Amino acid sequence: FDGASSGGTIDTETLSRYAADPKAVLWRNLERFKEQHNELAPYGRDLRDIEGVALDKSKRQREANGSEVDFESLYVVAQQARDIFGELVDQALRFSEYAEAPAPAPAAYAEAPAEPLFVVEPLKPRSRCAEKAKTRYGGDAARILDVVRGSIVAETELDLLELYEKLRRGLDIVRVKNRFDKPGITGYKDLLLTVAVPLGEAEHLCELQLHLREVYSKSSYASYCFFRPFFLDASQTQLKQRKDVLLTLPATYEAILADNGSVGAQFFRAVFLGADRAVRDRALLFAQLPLAESSSLKDLTSRLITRDDHLLLESVADLLESADVDLRSLRRKIVLLTEEAKGKDHRSVATALVKLASCETEPTRKVKCLTRALPLYERDHGTDSVKVAAVLGNLGAAKGALGDAAGMRDCLVRALSIKEDVYGSNHPTVGVTLNNLGKALTDLGEVKSARDYLERALVINEQQYGYTDIRVGVVLSNVGNARGDLGLFKEASEAFSRALEIYTEHGAALANPLVDLGNARGCLGDHAGKRDLFQRALPMYEALHGRRSERVAYVLAGIGETYGDLGDERMEPMVEEALSIYEELHMEPEVASTLLLLAVCMGHRGAFDKQKELVERSLTIGESAQALISLAKSHGALGDAKEKCTLLEKALNMEEHEYGTDSLRLCATLYNLANAYAADSRGSKKVEVMERILSIKEQAYGEDDPRIRSALYSAGAAHASFGNAERQIVVLERALAIDEREFGKESVKVAVALTTLAEAYKKIDEEKTAASLERARDIFDLEGLDGEGIVERGPPPAPAPYQRPDSPIPESEDDDESYEDEGIAPAKEKATELYKSLQALEYKKQKILKAQEASKAEEPQVDAGMTLDLGRVPWIRAEKEHLALLREELGDDWSAIASRLGTGRTALHCEQHVQDEALRAAVAECGEKNWGLVGDRIGMNG
């Protein structure tokens, strides 16, 4: 209600939302328009002589390879050019061809001279550029030269002249617009430079504005935005005419209305009361409202609810959309009145339902409104309309708020397809849908797909808004969670670190980003880092929610866990306080999780009976994989290996159901289970589990990634204990190749690996044994080692499964080592001993004796009643490729193929694998239900 009487220019947005009398506001803007012209007229007279430079008409924005940009690629190129532009301008401002020596430093008490204020602005908004391309350049985005913008504010006219001279010498300026000589539509004056920035084989054109301080401070950008639409598509002559009309209007608003003959009055009525229909309608609307009787906007809506004019109510509701007013009752009344007036299936009812849904705070009501509106929108606008996509997006979000992740996914998949077809795959609105779809898939456990969508959303946001925009920070947090869900904790930590920097830069709340990053650091084994980040977040949560709150309890439990990991005795009281808060708030799942953490405290103290009691108490509240793992460890500590295996198998099944069968988050439990099998004398089961861990890591990282080396060594050790030398050699040779690439062929780690490999070769190939030991001894001798050295080659303790801030407590780390590195000194001694034994006899005699020893003294370890079935061990890529080559050479001679393959596979294994692959290919080609065609394809029918 105070909008019409406020000082200064009223911007268009404020006018449309709040103005009690839009005509009066428009008149005030006209007055301000004239005042600004008069105020700015005296400035810049000494700058009018700066010579303008016309732009070569052939200049266009181009990509780095020289091709012309389209609207989407324009922003990609602009983002690349922005930093270069800033560096070039900075260099030009520091440039002085006359400087011979640095000036003496000012006295300690002296103020340094004020530097020009140079600012690289954010990229020009896409909406403005789209409007400019359409209205000025016929849709040609390559002619837009001000996507990358910067500005410098000079204190005096002399300063501005000196700045221009510096910039002219240091930059490639291809156009100069002297608006001190020819001011803009509002009277604003500056010097506008177009600067060519080198980019690949082309150049990108950027805009640099040189402002004068007093002009800058007296000008109104709101006035420019308000009047700009009235000067679009105007020639230079028309611009002058329209400006003169605005500047020569009669002195009062009443005089304009009374003057039927002047051009100014006709122009005013045409533009503000005729062509601008919205303003005219608002003036009529306000004439019908009980403004004098209303004490507030809330009171106004309460009085209007009794009216039966749905058009009036809808106009008021639209006008108050962005005001702090509850419009639900008004919108519900509008829906009812529109249905009565138009019928329940009218398109205006669909619009009213969508607007009502935007006001509703309960997801159930939102879903009801949007579900009714969707088929009406599809009927009226077509199933591939962006309006339908908007309804689908909102409906998906509402279903997600109700916990219907599958419904959310289905809506967003449709919305995404429509938006990509209409806008292209890199549009900002596509990024919003990708982000929301990633959340839905995460809730459904489809973590890999979720990560792919979120990573796409991140790229779009970075391209559209820059790398430090707050919207990029939001998506980075979601990407970090998705990476963590997949066990990619290092990558998750990188995302959370970037998000935290962005939130800090924008002054946003930091508690959640701190906890996100802390959890990722903890999963990487950086327990001190996690503790420090959680301790920073604790007072923030306490200030926001109070000491006895859920968030504080979560952080206390997390700090307590890090104390346990670091051997700090303060773990127990910290966890007990968290437990008491959860119990006070009756949060049973969190109570159960915190009991497990307290059980860890008991385990550290050696009180295994008490540990078991706490775990069993947790299980009475609710069974979880975490609780089963803790209970399994208690049984293991008490010597019950069989029960430990049973509990871990059950926990593994639960984790597979939650995360999928190939998730990295299974590895911690699988490591525990493998060692439990070994303790229960089931070595063959351990081998299968270790091979499964290797397969999971290969799928996640690739077959040659250094992050799988620990899994390769663990699998090799398992095969060695079971006596399967062929398979042991296959995995150890792969591990050796990775070590050579990672550490260098002369590294002591490679020497240790060669010694381990020599032990495996000793059982089947004396020549390779000798060669490996020769290399190992040469490395050891070269290094001159005396027993000091590496202490790690097998897998590190498996990280705890990743937990989000809204989960209760991160799970404890795997405390069972699957493979212990013997260290350099023992490896060196072993290499020397093996080498001497090989040199003791002649090679042929030595080969015979070693073969005899292998058959007599080194019988493989076999479980009672059990043998290792390599048919259950996944085939690696190298085996598959070798098998294909052997089939080309040997046909279906499976015995010969198995012998030549040399990895321990039998003829039956090879034949079965080929048949399985043929079946998979036929099903993929013919479909899962077309078994007749599948049978024909693989020759099984008839």
Side-chain angles (χ1 to χ4, degrees):
F1 296 118
D2 298 328
S5 60
S6 64
T9 300
I10 307 299
D11 60 68
T12 308
E13 184 179 10
T14 304
L15 171 69
S16 65
R17 292 179 184 172
Y18 303 115
D21 185 353
K23 294 177 290 184
V25 172
L26 289 169
W27 175 245
R28 182 161 190 80
N29 282 356
L30 282 167
E31 287 186 315
R32 182 62 189 138
F33 184 84
K34 290 191 288 185
E35 290 170 2
Q36 181 168 307
H37 268 79
N38 294 334
E39 290 174 356
L40 299 181
Y43 292 99
R45 290 174 179 169
D46 293 339
L47 300 171
R48 295 182 61 179
D49 294 334
I50 294 178
E51 186 176 353
V53 176
L55 181 70
D56 183 347
K57 292 184 178 181
S58 66
K59 291 285 186 182
R60 294 288 190 277
Q61 299 287 30
R62 301 184 181 277
E63 298 190 40
N65 60 9
S67 61
E68 277 196 23
V69 298
D70 55 22
F71 191 76
E72 294 300 328
S73 61
L74 171 63
Y75 272 81
V76 176
V77 175
Q79 185 63 54
Q80 297 169 351
R82 185 171 179 269
D83 292 339
I84 303 172
F85 171 64
E87 292 173 4
L88 290 176
V89 175
D90 279 333
Q91 291 173 9
L93 292 174
R94 292 194 300 268
F95 177 81
S96 175
E97 59 188 351
Y98 307 109
E100 296 181 356
Y109 56 84
E111 293 185 1
E115 289 294 327
L117 178 59
F118 169 56
V119 177
V120 180
E121 306 289 349
L123 298 184
K124 191 166 187 170
R126 297 172 64 91
S127 58
R128 292 275 308 281
C129 285
E131 175 190 345
K132 190 171 186 177
K134 180 179 179 181
T135 58
R136 285 197 185 181
Y137 305 128
D140 185 0
R143 296 180 64 186
I144 300 175
L145 309 182
D146 59 347
V147 180
V148 178
R149 306 168 296 167
S151 63
I152 303 174
V153 179
E155 298 298 324
T156 67
E157 295 183 19
L158 180 59
D159 289 342
L160 194 144
L161 277 172
E162 291 177 352
L163 283 170
Y164 173 63
E165 287 302 317
K166 279 189 177 183
L167 295 169
R168 191 170 59 82
R169 292 195 299 268
L171 298 174
D172 182 8
I173 297 174
V174 297
R175 179 174 66 177
V176 178
K177 277 188 179 182
N178 187 353
R179 295 197 292 200
F180 289 101
D181 185 34
K182 296 178 180 179
I185 58 175
T186 62
Y188 188 74
K189 302 177 178 182
D190 65 358
L191 195 63
L192 190 150
L193 312 178
T194 300
V195 179
V197 171
L199 189 69
E201 299 177 3
E203 60 187 17
H204 189 81
L205 303 179
C206 310
E207 181 176 282
L208 180 59
Q209 294 177 339
L210 273 60
H211 304 286
L212 193 59
R213 172 72 66 188
E214 290 189 77
V215 174
Y216 189 76
S217 60
K218 290 178 181 292
S219 300
S220 168
Y221 182 69
S223 179
Y224 168 75
C225 292
F226 185 87
F227 288 102
R228 183 181 59 201
F230 310 132
F231 294 92
L232 290 178
D233 301 324
S235 65
Q236 289 298 320
T237 302
Q238 291 171 329
L239 282 174
K240 185 177 185 306
Q241 289 174 346
R242 294 182 187 183
K243 188 188 300 184
D244 290 344
V245 166
L246 292 179
L247 293 173
T248 56
L249 283 171
T252 65
Y253 174 69
E254 290 74 15
I256 292 178
L257 296 182
D259 184 359
N260 292 323
S262 73
V263 176
Q266 293 173 14
F267 178 83
F268 179 86
R269 279 196 293 272
V271 171
F272 297 111
L273 298 180
D276 191 348
R277 182 177 176 181
V279 174
R280 182 196 65 192
D281 291 344
R282 264 181 232 121
L284 297 173
L285 168 66
F286 275 98
Q288 302 177 59
L289 299 181
L291 296 178
E293 298 89 344
S294 303
S295 59
S296 65
L297 292 178
K298 181 178 180 181
D299 183 33
L300 176 64
T301 57
S302 299
R303 292 173 183 273
L304 290 173
I305 202 71
T306 59
R307 303 279 186 95
D308 291 332
D309 185 346
H310 72 88
L311 294 176
L312 172 66
L313 298 184
E314 188 168 355
S315 297
V316 173
D318 289 346
L319 192 62
L320 300 179
E321 192 67 55
S322 300
D324 186 17
V325 183
D326 186 353
L327 298 176
R328 287 176 293 176
S329 298
L330 202 57
R331 289 290 187 194
R332 290 169 190 165
K333 180 71 177 287
I334 291 168
V335 171
L336 293 175
L337 293 174
T338 308
E339 287 176 339
E340 291 176 5
K342 303 287 188 178
K344 291 190 174 183
D345 292 336
H346 194 270
R347 64 188 302 163
S348 60
V349 173
T351 303
L353 285 166
V354 170
K355 291 180 177 180
L356 172 57
S358 68
C359 298
E360 295 287 5
T361 56
E362 298 178 20
T364 304
R365 288 181 175 269
K366 283 181 179 287
V367 170
K368 184 177 179 181
C369 292
L370 294 168
T371 301
R372 276 193 61 195
L374 180 59
L376 301 179
Y377 265 69
E378 291 174 328
R379 179 200 65 195
D380 295 332
H381 304 289
T383 56
D384 57 352
S385 165
V386 290
K387 293 186 176 182
V388 171
V391 175
L392 285 165
N394 291 328
L395 179 57
K399 288 186 175 183
L402 286 174
D404 181 7
M408 181 181 182
R409 174 200 59 200
D410 296 342
C411 289
L412 293 176
V413 166
R414 276 195 63 196
L416 178 63
S417 176
I418 294 170
K419 289 182 177 182
E420 287 182 323
D421 287 343
V422 175
Y423 297 122
S425 58
N426 293 318
H427 194 273
T429 188
V430 172
V432 172
T433 305
L434 288 167
N435 181 70
N436 295 340
L437 184 54
K439 180 186 182 304
L441 292 172
T442 299
D443 293 341
L444 288 169
E446 300 175 25
V447 184
K448 284 187 175 180
S449 297
R451 181 197 172 192
D452 292 340
Y453 285 118
L454 290 167
E455 297 278 7
R456 279 187 60 196
L458 177 61
V459 171
I460 291 173
N461 276 22
E462 288 175 336
Q463 290 176 350
Q464 300 300 329
Y465 310 121
Y467 289 90
T468 59
D469 188 89
I470 191 69
R471 288 164 288 195
V472 173
V474 172
V475 181
L476 276 168
S477 295
N478 295 335
V479 168
N481 283 322
R483 291 172 177 175
D485 285 340
L486 289 169
L488 304 171
F489 304 119
K490 181 179 179 181
E491 292 83 351
S493 180
E494 292 169 354
F496 288 137
S497 294
R498 276 192 62 199
L500 181 59
E501 290 176 3
I502 293 172
Y503 284 127
T504 303
E505 179 181 334
H506 288 272
L510 298 180
N512 287 341
L514 286 167
V515 168
D516 282 338
L517 181 57
N519 278 322
R521 293 274 176 83
C523 291
L524 288 170
D526 181 8
H527 305 301
K530 176 181 177 179
R531 175 201 62 202
D532 295 342
L533 289 162
F534 270 49
Q535 286 175 339
R536 284 178 60 191
L538 180 59
M540 299 178 187
Y541 280 135
E542 194 169 353
L544 287 170
H545 308 293
R547 183 73 177 185
R548 306 296 292 178
S549 66
E550 172 193 354
R551 301 305 300 168
V552 168
Y554 173 80
V555 176
L556 287 170
I559 295 173
E561 184 189 32
T562 62
Y563 283 156
D565 294 325
L566 295 168
D568 192 319
E569 295 180 354
R570 291 176 291 176
M571 176 185 186
E572 190 170 340
M574 193 73 71
V575 175
E576 285 177 340
E577 183 180 358
L579 178 61
S580 70
I581 295 173
Y582 283 136
E583 288 176 333
E584 183 181 305
L585 297 174
H586 305 290
M587 302 179 69
E588 289 193 348
E590 287 74 17
V591 169
S593 298
T594 314
L595 284 168
L596 297 177
L597 197 53
L598 196 56
V600 174
C601 299
M602 299 301 106
H604 291 168
R605 286 168 40 185
F608 298 117
D609 290 330
K610 180 65 175 176
Q611 180 186 44
K612 182 181 175 184
E613 177 188 331
L614 288 168
V615 173
E616 289 172 341
R617 182 183 160 195
S618 173
L619 284 169
T620 62
I621 298 174
E623 191 173 73
S624 67
Q626 181 187 357
L628 290 170
I629 292 168
S630 297
L631 185 59
K633 291 181 178 181
S634 297
H635 279 282
L638 294 170
D640 189 350
K642 190 172 293 297
E643 183 63 16
K644 181 178 181 180
C645 292
T646 302
L647 291 167
L648 287 172
E649 287 169 344
K650 190 173 182 180
L652 180 62
N653 288 334
M654 296 177 71
E655 289 182 341
E656 288 174 333
H657 179 73
E658 183 174 359
Y659 308 124
T661 57
D662 58 352
S663 170
L664 283 168
R665 296 187 65 169
L666 305 181
C667 290
T669 304
L670 287 168
Y671 272 124
N672 275 322
L673 184 57
N675 290 297
Y677 282 144
D680 196 36
S681 300
R682 286 189 270 176
S684 63
K685 296 288 289 182
K686 176 177 180 178
V687 172
E688 292 173 11
V689 171
M690 287 301 183
E691 286 282 357
R692 183 177 174 190
I693 293 170
L694 177 57
S695 177
I696 289 172
K697 290 193 173 185
E698 286 174 337
Q699 289 182 50
Y701 302 127
E703 295 187 358
D704 299 320
D705 193 280
R707 286 173 288 187
I708 74 164
R709 61 185 293 274
S710 62
L712 288 166
Y713 282 118
S714 296
H719 282 292
S721 65
F722 200 74
N724 184 9
E726 291 88 352
R727 183 64 182 170
Q728 180 192 9
I729 289 170
V730 169
V731 295
L732 289 180
E733 285 178 340
R734 290 181 57 201
L736 175 63
I738 291 173
D739 282 350
E740 288 177 333
R741 287 194 303 272
E742 187 73 3
F743 307 114
K745 292 189 176 182
E746 304 301 323
S747 165
V748 290
K749 290 196 175 188
V750 170
V752 174
L754 286 165
T755 303
T756 304
L757 189 57
E759 289 187 89
Y761 283 145
K762 186 176 67 171
K763 303 169 186 176
I764 58 174
D765 192 327
E766 295 295 349
E767 187 174 350
K768 289 185 177 180
T769 305
S772 297
L773 290 172
E774 284 278 7
R775 275 195 64 196
R777 286 193 67 210
D778 288 345
I779 295 171
F780 284 133
D781 292 342
L782 179 66
E783 295 291 339
L785 295 170
D786 57 1
E788 300 292 331
I790 62 171
V791 294
E792 183 275 327
R793 183 187 66 218
Y802 184 76
Q803 294 288 326
R804 294 187 178 170
D806 56 356
S807 302
I809 298 295
E811 298 178 14
S812 60
E813 294 185 3
D814 172 29
D815 54 9
D816 294 323
E817 300 266 345
S818 60
Y819 183 77
E820 286 285 348
D821 193 347
E822 58 195 348
I824 293 177
K828 181 179 179 182
E829 294 174 2
K830 185 177 292 184
T832 302
E833 180 182 343
L834 289 171
Y835 184 80
K836 287 179 179 178
S837 67
L838 285 172
Q839 299 299 319
L841 299 171
E842 296 175 357
Y843 177 75
K844 290 184 179 180
K845 180 179 179 181
Q846 194 180 69
K847 186 173 182 180
I848 295 171
L849 290 175
K850 293 297 179 182
Q852 292 174 345
E853 284 182 16
S855 63
K856 295 178 182 179
E858 297 186 9
E859 293 294 331
Q861 170 195 337
V862 180
D863 297 336
M866 299 183 67
T867 57
L868 175 64
D869 181 10
L870 273 181
R872 300 176 65 180
V873 175
W875 286 67
I876 62 173
R877 183 178 61 192
E879 281 185 296
K880 294 177 184 178
E881 293 172 351
H882 194 188
L883 176 63
L885 293 173
L886 289 172
R887 281 211 70 205
E888 291 179 5
E889 179 184 347
L890 302 173
D892 292 337
D893 188 350
W894 301 110
S895 297
I897 289 173
S899 176
R900 292 272 297 278
L901 189 62
T903 60
R905 307 280 185 183
T906 66
L908 181 60
H909 291 157
C910 297
E911 183 178 6
Q912 186 64 52
H913 176 72
V914 171
Q915 291 174 353
D916 289 345
E917 291 295 304
L919 179 60
R920 289 192 188 95
V923 170
E925 182 177 348
C926 303
E928 293 185 358
K929 297 183 179 180
N930 298 319
W931 295 111
L933 290 175
V934 170
D936 290 338
R937 188 56 50 92
I938 62 176
M940 292 182 64
N941 283 349

